[in-house]
Amino acid sequence: MDVLVCVKRVPATGGTIPLTADGRDVDTRSLGFTIGPHEECAVEEAARIVERFGGSAAVLTVGPPQADEQLRYAMSIGLQQGVRVTTGEEETDPEATAAAIVDAVRTLESETRPFDLILFGNESADAGNCQVGIRVAHALARPAVGGIKGIEPQPEHGTVRLRRELPDGIEVYAAPLPAVAAVREGLNLPRYPAVTGRLRAKRAHIRTIEPELVPGGLRKVRLRPPAEAARETVVLGHGAAAAGPVVDMLAELGMV
Amino acid sequence: MLVTLVESAQEGLAAGSANALAHARELADVLGTHVEAATFAGAPEVRDGLAGYGVSRLHVVEHGECVEYSPECWGEALAQLLDDTRPDGVLAAATDRGNEVLAQAAARIGLPLATNCLNVAPATGAAEGDPAWALTRQRGGGVLLEDAELSAPTKLVTVLAGTVEPSAGEAVPEVDVRTFVPQLDTDPARSRIVDRTAREAGVSLATAAVVVSGGRGVGSAEGFDMIEELAELLGGAVGCSRVATNDGWRPHSDQVGLTGTKIAPELYIACGISGATQHWVGCRDARRILAINTDPQAPMMTRATYAVTGDVHEVVPAIIAEIRRRTE
Ligand SMILES: Cc1cc2nc3c(=O)[nH]c(=O)nc-3n(C[C@H](O)[C@H](O)[C@H](O)COP(=O)(O)OP(=O)(O)OC[C@H]3O[C@@H](n4cnc5c(N)ncnc54)[C@H](O)[C@@H]3O)c2cc1C
Ligand SMILES: Nc1ncnc2c1ncn2[C@@H]1O[C@H](COP(=O)(O)O)[C@@H](O)[C@H]1O
């Protein structure tokens, strides 16, 4: 099985999200960067599939040169090849991102063979457009199912089983390979990178591809924080002594 | 003309569909056009629900491959319906399914798609002949809002539930039902559903009236024994932060937040959870929040309804003992 995972470099935000003065972006000067939890699970799954079935796993990002940090994280987990489709620091829109990924996949596949599976996050951690993976799949004429929390490759049959959860049930899809899946956190429990993996990834070569970026029809104008109803906080006390007032409150609500 | 993709629920229209219709109606009024609906299944229930929304025409997609949900078949069928009807825009509920079907259709027609929108309006000063829409969408499950502009011959949008007051429009005497039969060749690049199982509904995290949740401050898997005990005493469910899932203390199905479950209980008890934005968007709809934390300045503490400063390993057992003392 040859597997490709697509990841996006995003700011790792905490309790509040600082914005730039013009409101066009997150002010990342004091922030670290990461990939989303869904994508961490996609990376882990790719490593496991290759450990189990053999083959190779690659990771790809469309982003600025700094996004190598995120590629190297994936490589430290065990993905062998890292590919950066180089853009500026501005976020690309979902159509442009998908087109850049499609071009890069075509280039990579023309040199070897098709990836049996391409894994995406169900939605990117920041923009959450819920569409890049589906666009890539369609352009490559491959099946795509989203919301996936279970992947069972059946390479001997040339198929893969994909499981997803709904509020009221579970669905299992069968798709012919090569296929695309957009996955959700909970698919697996990602490992922490081992020291040897980190050292290997640090020295690994990263392939770069210069894309032709054609802007799509969705244009980000401005970011702003959501309005929030300010709550009055009532301090019920300190330490174990607060138990009385807490249970008074619970009793008032009819909960005890 | 605007098309709203609608789904049926037990009684008439699904809530998300009603919300999407209400958005479409408001927008159609401003644009001086009308709203039609499209559906894949449940036509009779949908039709009866629609009359009250002032929708005069319902397109029912009929095809053997579309009886069961299929992302690719529904997407392809919708793409063909849009090619046939050429609407100015399509609105659907921003559910997993709504987002997936519209993304499939968007990919097939080569159109942009704006997901998870809170409001949609014609852009002011948009060029004649290229009337863009101005919209606000949620990023990161609601941690930020994005004002954006959408330009396309047919604009595809999904709207979040509860973002507009569903209002009945001018009732129409009769909904004209039009059957649309898509051409779906047996495309090999297609997934097929092979199994569907219903899940039993217990006290689930998503619907519990009380959720007692633990984070890094709980310290270990064993630390969750007291969280479980308190949840049980209150007839609630156990939740957790991503730190607790990542460290293997709890299953991911317990995780509250952006990439976990979004909840809206009567009471949320957050034990040793800092209140990072990605956690906050999952619990901010709780009616009341009780935060227990050693750090009074933690975002969860300053945003909570009630706060207790202290070590969860002292506070939670004391609360449990006090409940037992009063109820025994
Ligand atoms: C894209 C993305 C999606 C994410 N999705 C989610 C999500 O769905 N859900 C989620 O929870 N997180 C999510 N996160 C992670 C999130 O950013 C935080 O890292 C996480 O919520 C922190 O968990 P925590 O509050 O348990 O830990 P911390 O932030 O480390 O906070 C621990 C808190 O416990 C307090 N504390 C420590 N010891 C004690 C004690 N003995 N008694 C009382 N209090 C104590 C500390 O003062 C602190 O406030 C996501 C992150 C990203 C980037
Ligand atoms: N810039 C990018 N580079 C690589 N992959 C991306 C990028 N943006 C989005 N993706 C992938 O597409 C998925 C869905 O993104 P989105 O459509 O923005 O929600 C993400 O989880 C990633 O797997």
Side-chain angles (χ1 to χ4, degrees):
Chain A
M1 293 282 293
D2 291 337
V3 187
L4 174 69
V5 184
C6 294
V7 301
K8 180 179 185 187
R9 173 181 168 89
V10 298
T13 51
T16 53
I17 304 183
L19 295 177
T20 55
D22 65 1
R24 288 184 47 89
D25 247 310
V26 175
D27 182 353
T28 55
R29 283 174 301 180
S30 61
L31 296 176
F33 287 83
T34 185
I35 62 173
H38 300 321
E39 292 158 35
E40 277 182 29
C41 288
V43 168
E44 172 67 30
E45 196 71 11
R48 289 187 192 184
I49 289 171
V50 168
E51 281 160 11
R52 191 167 143 207
F53 295 96
S56 71
V59 56
L60 179 150
T61 192
V62 178
Q66 297 91 310
D68 286 359
E69 181 192 349
Q70 281 61 48
L71 295 176
R72 289 192 199 281
Y73 157 77
M75 294 166 91
S76 74
I77 299 290
L79 279 56
Q80 294 95 352
Q81 197 191 358
V83 182
R84 167 177 25 101
V85 182
T86 313
T87 63
E89 302 225 9
E90 281 270 311
E91 181 174 34
T92 50
D93 72 76
E95 287 170 279
T97 309
I101 294 174
V102 169
D103 273 353
V105 168
R106 288 209 173 109
T107 303
L108 297 170
E109 291 188 339
S110 71
E111 294 164 5
T112 51
R113 53 183 183 270
F115 294 104
D116 298 293
L117 264 181
I118 307 182
L119 302 181
F120 291 85
N122 195 69
E123 71 266 352
S124 54
D126 55 352
N129 291 305
C130 305
Q131 54 185 267
V132 168
I134 293 170
R135 288 186 187 278
V136 171
H138 177 68
L140 298 171
R142 293 178 199 182
V145 189
I148 296 306
K149 282 202 176 174
I151 299 183
E152 187 53 48
Q154 302 170 309
E156 67 283 10
H157 296 120
T159 56
V160 59
R161 295 212 159 203
L162 302 166
R163 183 173 58 80
R164 69 170 169 194
E165 291 170 12
L166 309 171
D168 57 351
I170 290 172
E171 289 178 341
V172 181
Y173 289 80
L177 298 173
V180 170
V183 308
R184 281 227 161 98
E185 188 179 34
L187 171 66
N188 53 43
L189 187 58
R191 71 194 80 175
Y192 286 103
V195 177
T196 45
R198 282 216 296 269
L199 288 175
R200 189 170 8 90
K202 208 172 150 189
R203 290 190 304 262
H205 167 72
I206 285 176
R207 168 146 182 197
T208 57
I209 293 179
E210 301 296 324
E212 201 188 316
L213 286 172
V214 185
L218 179 64
R219 194 172 64 84
K220 175 170 85 177
V221 176
R222 195 170 70 108
L223 301 182
R224 55 195 165 89
E228 193 146 334
R231 292 191 208 225
E232 208 46 64
T233 306
V234 181
V235 178
L236 294 181
H238 295 257
V246 167
V247 180
D248 290 346
M249 178 270 288
L250 293 172
E252 235 166 79
L253 296 177
M255 287 171 180
V256 290
Chain B
M1 185 259 287
L2 300 178
V3 169
T4 308
L5 187 61
V6 294
E7 287 194 83
S8 63
Q10 250 115 28
E11 290 160 36
L13 280 184
S17 300
N19 181 70
L21 265 179
H23 272 285
R25 279 246 331 282
E26 277 192 18
L27 187 59
D29 284 349
V30 183
L31 294 172
T33 183
H34 71 284
V35 179
E36 300 184 358
T39 192
F40 282 85
E45 299 87 343
V46 166
R47 188 188 54 211
D48 296 346
L50 284 176
Y53 281 93
V55 174
S56 53
R57 176 172 287 165
L58 171 65
H59 303 267
V60 179
V61 178
E62 273 191 15
H63 195 288
E65 298 279 344
C66 292
V67 175
E68 293 260 31
Y69 176 63
S70 150
E72 298 96 340
C73 293
W74 283 35
E76 176 61 32
L78 179 61
Q80 291 180 16
L81 176 67
L82 300 184
D83 189 46
D84 196 50
T85 52
R86 306 279 168 140
D88 303 306
V90 180
L91 284 83
T95 54
D96 283 351
R97 191 176 276 192
N99 284 341
E100 188 171 43
V101 174
L102 258 61
Q104 284 280 356
R108 280 157 211 276
I109 320 174
L111 288 173
L113 160 66
T115 53
N116 305 329
C117 295
L118 299 162
N119 57 56
V120 190
T124 47
E128 191 83 23
D130 174 30
W133 286 0
L135 42 88
T136 303
R137 55 183 304 275
Q138 262 192 1
R139 284 169 75 94
V143 302
L144 277 181
L145 301 180
E146 169 186 341
D147 294 321
E149 223 168 68
L150 181 63
S151 322
T154 295
K155 300 174 184 67
L156 306 184
V157 172
T158 67
V159 288
L160 288 162
T163 42
V164 99
E165 205 54 56
S167 62
E170 241 174 84
V172 291
E174 199 164 353
V175 180
D176 164 30
V177 177
R178 222 196 79 172
T179 303
F180 179 78
V181 182
Q183 301 288 312
L184 301 174
D185 46 22
T186 24
D187 176 4
R190 183 181 294 171
S191 63
R192 267 167 219 289
I193 188 152
V194 289
D195 191 31
R196 179 179 280 129
T197 41
R199 258 197 301 201
E200 77 292 357
V203 179
S204 88
L205 181 58
T207 54
V210 182
V211 174
V212 187
S213 205
R216 192 193 301 278
V218 171
S220 63
E222 297 71 46
F224 272 86
D225 290 352
M226 63 183 179
I227 304 292
E228 281 184 349
E229 193 179 348
L230 181 56
E232 196 173 319
L233 280 172
L234 299 174
V238 173
C240 70
S241 76
R242 182 159 179 253
V243 166
T245 16
N246 264 2
D247 286 347
W249 302 345
R250 300 300 297 180
H252 182 266
S253 51
D254 281 0
Q255 183 174 312
V256 171
L258 170 56
T259 51
T261 304
K262 290 197 175 60
I263 59 173
E266 284 295 307
L267 177 66
Y268 184 61
I269 306 185
C271 307
I273 297 177
S274 63
T277 47
Q278 299 90 357
H279 186 86
W280 180 249
V281 293
C283 68
R284 67 180 173 193
D285 291 338
R287 186 92 180 270
R288 301 175 182 81
I289 296 176
L290 163 63
I292 305 170
N293 199 305
T294 42
D295 175 8
Q297 294 312 317
M300 186 65 86
M301 292 284 275
T302 57
R303 291 166 135 178
T305 329
Y306 312 103
V308 172
T309 311
D311 186 334
V312 286
H313 301 96
E314 289 167 18
V315 180
V316 174
I319 294 171
I320 291 170
E322 180 65 14
I323 295 173
R324 291 207 188 283
R325 194 184 63 80
R326 292 200 200 178
T327 51
E328 263 156 27

